[in-house]
Amino acid sequence: MSSQTPDISWKNYLTLCKPNVVLEMLFTAVVGMLLAVPGMPPLATVFYSTLGIALAASSAAAINHFIDRKADAQMTRTENRPLPKGNLTATNVMAFAVVLGVSSMLILVFLVNTLTAILTFLSLFGYAIVYTLYLKRATPQNIVIGGAFGATPPLLGWCAMTDSIHPYALLLVLIIFVWTPPHFWALAIARREEYAKVNIPMLPVTHGVEFTRLQILLYTVLLFIVTVLPYLTGMSGLIYLGTAVPLGVFFIYLAVLMMRTKDNKTAMKTFAYSIVYITILFAALLIDHYFLLTL
């Protein structure tokens, strides 16, 4: 088959959805759902909420593929995506994104609640359009500002169960918001030549690697402080605290190690750990919610 002939196989469309990223987002969204209620939430509502949020996130990811198709073709990390490879056309991708986005909104409006649908749409629009189309190429603080859109899944999950915005839900958003810069900047350090090649002003490209490493360290310290807040506010108990503290200490250790070793291998190790970190942290919140320990 010619590389210019659209390949409608499900694998190409699945790639558009960025399943690894979406699954991590869904995990934090489901944690938000479960934390929002004292017992088990209605399973039907959980199912429709998860489906709606998943479709919206996948739609945003597909739009991201469409907007970044030219840059993706020039970067080793992304050159094998469906659009650069010619496996799908731009029309295929945008039609797929629209179908997913509309389906998401219909499910959330009619089977969950309007507030969740509105917040989900704002997140979709913020990531796919505001971040990808503008912020990503406008400022080295793109990840910091754009991170607000990617931090919303636990809030969406919470709203899906309660039809309201609770301060605890916003605290979950704050954790992911502060986690995002050190998570992504570690990757950006290792891939800085590729970002420079396509004129994307990631922090290590515009301000240098040393400055970026310092920012990662500062953010990991801030993250450590923020992740103690669920315990201090009474949202969680000792199970969570006993998990968050060593997780945060090791994250800070890796940030310090990045400043000392100054190699891409340590940066990628930090990036990989950051994914494990956020997963275990939210799992600890969930476990603590159902097995709350107090002094």
Side-chain angles (χ1 to χ4, degrees):
M1 178 182 296
S2 169
S3 62
Q4 299 304 312
T5 302
D7 182 350
I8 59 173
S9 73
W10 64 270
K11 290 183 180 179
N12 284 305
Y13 284 99
L14 181 62
T15 300
L16 290 180
C17 297
K18 298 187 177 180
N20 292 336
V21 176
V22 171
L23 284 174
E24 188 67 39
M25 294 174 63
L26 288 180
F27 173 68
T28 62
V30 170
V31 170
M33 295 177 201
L34 297 175
L35 293 179
V37 294
M40 289 300 296
L43 293 182
T45 307
V46 171
F47 173 77
Y48 290 123
S49 302
T50 303
L51 179 60
I53 295 169
L55 291 175
S58 298
S59 175
I63 296 172
N64 176 270
H65 275 263
F66 171 79
I67 294 173
D68 278 348
R69 63 192 185 279
K70 292 182 179 178
D72 285 348
Q74 301 178 58
M75 298 173 66
T76 304
R77 184 171 63 91
T78 55
E79 64 184 4
N80 289 319
R81 286 177 172 177
L83 275 170
K85 290 287 288 185
N87 292 333
L88 293 173
T89 67
T91 302
N92 294 146
V93 173
M94 283 308 298
F96 180 64
V98 169
V99 169
L100 292 182
V102 171
S103 299
S104 165
M105 292 301 105
L106 291 174
I107 290 170
L108 293 176
V109 168
F110 292 106
L111 299 175
V112 183
N113 59 63
T114 304
L115 176 61
T116 304
I118 292 172
L119 293 175
T120 302
F121 175 78
L122 291 175
S123 298
L124 187 163
F125 182 84
Y127 173 76
I129 305 300
V130 178
Y131 168 72
T132 306
L133 191 60
Y134 175 68
L135 286 175
K136 190 172 184 178
R137 292 164 175 80
T139 170
Q141 292 297 310
N142 45 23
I143 290 300
V144 178
I145 304 170
F149 305 118
T152 58
L155 172 63
L156 303 180
W158 195 294
C159 290
M161 297 301 108
T162 65
D163 198 12
S164 64
I165 298 176
H166 193 281
Y168 284 161
L170 296 177
L171 180 52
L172 297 177
V173 171
L174 179 61
I175 289 173
I176 299 179
F177 176 75
V178 177
W179 164 84
T180 300
H183 159 70
F184 201 89
W185 281 336
L187 174 66
I189 285 175
R191 299 287 186 264
R192 59 189 180 278
E193 292 86 0
E194 294 189 13
Y195 286 118
K197 180 180 178 181
V198 294
N199 297 316
I200 295 178
M202 291 299 176
L203 195 64
V205 175
T206 61
H207 288 67
V209 175
E210 291 299 320
F211 181 80
T212 306
R213 290 193 181 106
L214 175 60
Q215 294 303 303
I216 290 174
L217 175 59
L218 295 176
Y219 267 92
T220 55
V221 173
L222 178 60
L223 180 62
F224 181 87
I225 296 170
V226 169
T227 54
V228 176
L229 293 179
Y231 176 77
L232 296 179
T233 59
M235 178 183 180
S236 62
L238 292 177
I239 291 177
Y240 168 75
L241 183 66
T243 305
V245 169
L247 280 175
V249 168
F250 191 70
F251 205 164
I252 294 172
Y253 163 76
L254 287 176
V256 172
L257 192 64
M258 282 183 63
M259 296 190 71
R260 296 180 61 184
T261 58
K262 307 182 187 303
D263 59 21
N264 289 345
K265 182 179 179 181
T266 306
M268 288 304 297
K269 181 179 179 181
T270 304
F271 171 73
Y273 173 76
S274 70
I275 299 172
V276 175
Y277 168 91
I278 200 68
T279 303
I280 297 177
L281 189 77
F282 270 75
L285 279 167
L286 189 57
I287 294 170
D288 191 280
H289 179 66
Y290 289 105
F291 301 95
L292 186 62
L293 294 178
T294 58
L295 289 173

